[in-house]
Amino acid sequence: MNKKKHPTREDWEKLAANLTFPHQAYINGEYLNAASGETFDCISPVDGKTLTQVASCDVADADKAVKAARAAFESGVWRDLPPAKRKQILQKFADLITQNRDELALLETLDMGKPIRFSSSVDISGAARTISWTAEAIDKVYGELAPTSVDKIGMITREAVGVVVNIVPWNFPLLMASWKFAPALAMGNSVILKPSEKSPLTALRVAGLAKEAGIPDGVFNVLPGLGSKVGKALALHMDVDTLAFTGSTAVAKQLMVYAGESNMKRVWLEAGGKSPNIVFADAPNLEKAAQAAAQGIAFNMGQVCTAGTRLLVEASIKDEFVALVKQALVKWQPGHPLDPKTLNGAIVDKQQLSKVLGYIEKGQQEGANLAFGGQQAFQETGGCYVQPTIFTEAENTMQIAAEEIFGPVLSVLTFDSMQDAVTQANDTIYGLAAAVWTADLNKAHKTAKALRAGSVWINNYDGGDMTAPFGGYKQSGNGRDKSLHAFDKYTEIKATWLSLEAD
Ligand code: NAD
């Protein structure tokens, strides 16, 4: 299959029919059942069928994994390797992910419903790129010398923190995981990855690839299970040094409480968003802006932390612009996730689908105007599909415009001036991303500066790669993933002072 340039839906279905689903936890270099023997159903949102039963880990498994991770860390088997050696092993890990891309992409699509073209080109390729970019940086991170008096040498070095827990969401399962475990491993830590119970498969599969690449036992562990059980056990554990999380703001807040109730482990949070996409009447190309607005709400079925869920349009062009967005959304109608032409697949599960449909209902009750979409699709398949949806006449006071829906539901608001646009854009508890479209350089920069968000896009809605940090202001979190800034989460900074004897 790897050799075939353009696989068809039939090719993917054939591969799916012969797929083996990983289902055991991975602790200390071994695939194991949960200590309790419990499992949970892994159900595909593509058609509602059960793919496998996955180990449901709990306190005992968390303990076992932390012990293994601690022992590996203390032994120095990973952290004391020359950086160039860790780099080589992580590069091999990235290569193995690339070599197994079809299988991993298929697991991702079946597990959480995203179109196969994106599982392959965005998620799995992106995870491999993340690991290899990070690996490449390992032996280029230097310490510092303090500018101090002549009889002293002050050395500033970075050290691995120890046992790192990564708790991640289901929207880009392996990609979000790799943004965390790659820099954590690169810096010499031991990692315990807790994938979402809605999408555990790729994390479990890559554990075996980590071993094949040469990552020592105990250094990379994967614990599937419920957040309220194994996630909580890890977050409360007294021997975990750092907890790096991506997920909802509600759970992020809970994790800060757990850290306070336990050992004050460092907590790094990438949480929710309700990002404004501001379109001024003088945008250089309204059609391009509309295409981006459509993609900004429909890509990954709207299950994107940076989704452009609040479209702020200058009042004078509102009708014209909304018409262009509707046109642009035509190609984003739901389709079968294994069809390579499909851009918009299934919502992750029934619970999330009913949350999205609930908001569509609520928007109408709140007095917004349902201008496009709004219907569930392909119900007969047993899968979870919904049309991209536009509400006009929305206000920040409405729940559809204030709360994170995590589905393809766009709220359109209007503004009359730059100040009005900025005020409305910042009127949110979140601060993850924002965009501004204008041909006026002065307006673009002034607006970008005034926006309280970790990423701001000017005349685009998706800028970003491994070279730039990613993270949020306000209740969208703290700390940054990607780029060299990601290493801050996984290192302690040590100042070592040496006194020189007088002659
Ligand atoms: P979630 O918060 O429900 O779950 C995230 C993870 O936390 C899962 O692995 C879950 O099992 C675990 N968890 C849940 N309760 C827990 C508890 N009490 N203790 C420990 N762990 C617990 O989020 P989700 O629904 O999986 O993902 C969607 C959310 O993720 C959205 O809010 C989205 O904005 C956010 N997200 C943010 C970013 C970012 O970079 N800022 C990126 C992707 C997704």
Side-chain angles (χ1 to χ4, degrees):
M1 176 101 162
N2 266 329
K3 289 194 188 72
K4 192 161 174 183
K5 238 182 159 191
H6 299 294
T8 61
R9 173 171 165 184
E10 290 68 38
D11 293 327
W12 287 111
E13 281 174 341
K14 219 181 282 170
L15 195 60
N18 295 311
L19 204 56
T20 309
F21 295 102
H23 60 279
Q24 290 179 300
Y26 186 80
I27 303 174
N28 206 17
E30 270 187 283
Y31 279 108
L32 299 169
N33 293 329
S36 65
E38 281 186 24
T39 59
F40 63 91
D41 286 340
C42 179
I43 296 170
S44 176
V46 172
D47 53 12
K49 295 205 175 108
T50 301
L51 299 172
T52 184
Q53 269 89 30
V54 175
S56 183
C57 295
D58 207 334
V59 180
D61 310 286
D63 251 342
K64 187 170 177 163
V66 173
K67 278 201 183 85
R70 175 63 62 193
F73 184 72
E74 295 303 333
S75 75
V77 66
W78 179 245
R79 72 167 162 171
D80 292 344
L81 284 182
K85 182 67 189 167
R86 283 206 304 276
K87 163 169 132 177
Q88 196 189 355
I89 293 173
L90 286 175
Q91 291 285 23
K92 184 159 180 211
F93 187 19
D95 289 346
L96 287 169
I97 288 176
T98 302
Q99 283 163 29
N100 290 278
R101 185 174 55 201
D102 287 348
E103 180 196 348
L104 288 164
L106 197 50
L107 286 174
E108 210 76 298
T109 287
L110 295 174
D111 205 2
M112 59 73 64
K114 82 172 63 201
I116 191 73
R117 62 190 287 161
F118 295 133
S119 295
S120 182
S121 65
V122 175
D123 290 76
I124 309 306
S125 302
R129 260 197 311 278
T130 299
I131 299 168
S132 88
W133 190 96
T134 310
E136 189 52 52
I138 297 177
D139 58 359
K140 293 162 194 71
V141 178
Y142 291 79
E144 299 164 53
L145 274 186
T148 187
S149 58
V150 289
D151 60 340
K152 296 270 189 304
I153 296 176
M155 292 174 284
I156 302 161
T157 49
R158 281 176 181 269
E159 290 181 356
V161 289
V163 176
V164 170
V165 165
N166 294 153
I167 298 182
V168 295
W170 46 262
N171 61 337
F172 295 90
L174 190 61
L175 186 59
M176 291 301 102
S178 70
W179 286 8
K180 309 246 176 265
F181 70 65
L185 290 172
M187 290 292 100
N189 299 284
S190 294
V191 170
I192 301 168
L193 171 63
K194 206 305 265 170
S196 169
E197 52 273 42
K198 296 181 195 238
S199 61
L201 299 181
T202 45
L204 294 173
R205 177 66 184 97
V206 300
L209 299 180
K211 182 163 179 139
E212 199 179 328
I215 294 179
D217 293 350
V219 171
F220 185 65
N221 307 277
V222 183
L223 293 190
L226 305 185
S228 56
K229 289 189 169 179
V230 70
K232 181 176 175 183
L234 289 166
L236 279 170
H237 205 287
M238 294 300 286
D239 202 26
V240 168
D241 298 294
T242 286
L243 170 57
F245 167 81
T246 299
S248 63
T249 293
V251 173
K253 289 181 181 180
Q254 185 59 54
L255 297 181
M256 295 173 103
V257 173
Y258 291 153
E261 283 172 357
S262 55
N263 64 340
M264 223 174 91
K265 54 183 68 64
R266 282 90 183 93
V267 181
W268 299 101
L269 306 165
E270 300 288 339
K274 193 77 190 175
S275 300
N277 183 12
I278 303 171
V279 182
F280 286 101
D282 65 355
N285 180 340
L286 281 185
E287 228 162 84
K288 187 176 158 206
Q291 297 276 355
Q295 175 160 338
I297 190 63
F299 177 63
N300 212 38
M301 296 63 74
Q303 304 164 133
V304 181
C305 52
T306 54
T309 45
R310 288 185 301 141
L311 177 61
L312 273 69
V313 195
E314 191 154 0
S316 59
I317 58 158
K318 184 209 134 201
D319 290 343
E320 179 193 354
F321 193 71
V322 169
L324 288 172
V325 178
K326 283 185 192 171
Q327 255 173 44
L329 276 175
V330 169
K331 70 175 184 197
W332 290 94
Q333 291 308 309
H336 196 284
L338 289 182
D339 183 338
K341 290 193 288 301
T342 295
L343 297 179
N344 187 1
I347 297 282
V348 70
D349 67 1
K350 290 214 158 84
Q351 191 190 2
Q352 186 64 18
L353 175 67
S354 64
K355 181 177 166 195
V356 174
L357 294 172
Y359 272 106
I360 292 173
E361 185 74 43
K362 207 171 290 175
Q364 296 171 83
Q365 287 161 8
E366 287 179 308
N369 172 43
L370 178 60
F372 189 80
Q375 300 300 313
Q376 195 178 343
F378 307 138
Q379 263 166 289
E380 69 287 357
T381 63
C384 306
Y385 301 86
V386 68
Q387 295 173 339
T389 299
I390 302 178
F391 278 105
T392 55
E393 324 309 327
E395 305 280 343
N396 273 338
T397 47
M398 295 176 180
Q399 276 173 280
I400 52 162
E403 295 171 11
E404 189 181 45
I405 299 173
F406 231 52
V409 182
L410 181 65
S411 292
V412 182
L413 298 86
T414 55
F415 65 86
D416 294 314
S417 65
M418 184 167 71
Q419 187 51 53
D420 184 21
V422 168
T423 304
Q424 291 194 58
N426 286 340
D427 179 18
T428 167
I429 61 165
Y430 299 111
L432 194 56
V436 46
W437 298 79
T438 173
D440 180 336
L441 205 57
N442 188 52
K443 210 195 280 181
H445 278 285
K446 277 183 136 170
T447 310
K449 262 184 149 178
L451 289 167
R452 306 271 303 145
S455 295
V456 177
W457 298 302
I458 299 175
N459 295 337
N460 72 91
Y461 199 87
D462 57 1
D465 63 26
M466 278 304 292
T467 57
F470 179 87
Y473 285 26
K474 302 196 273 182
Q475 292 186 41
S476 288
N478 63 351
R480 294 295 180 265
D481 283 340
K482 303 166 86 178
S483 81
L484 298 182
H485 290 278
F487 291 148
D488 294 347
K489 293 183 176 177
Y490 306 107
T491 47
E492 291 285 10
I493 291 181
K494 180 177 275 181
T496 306
W497 288 96
L498 176 74
S499 288
L500 301 175
E501 294 296 323
D503 288 334

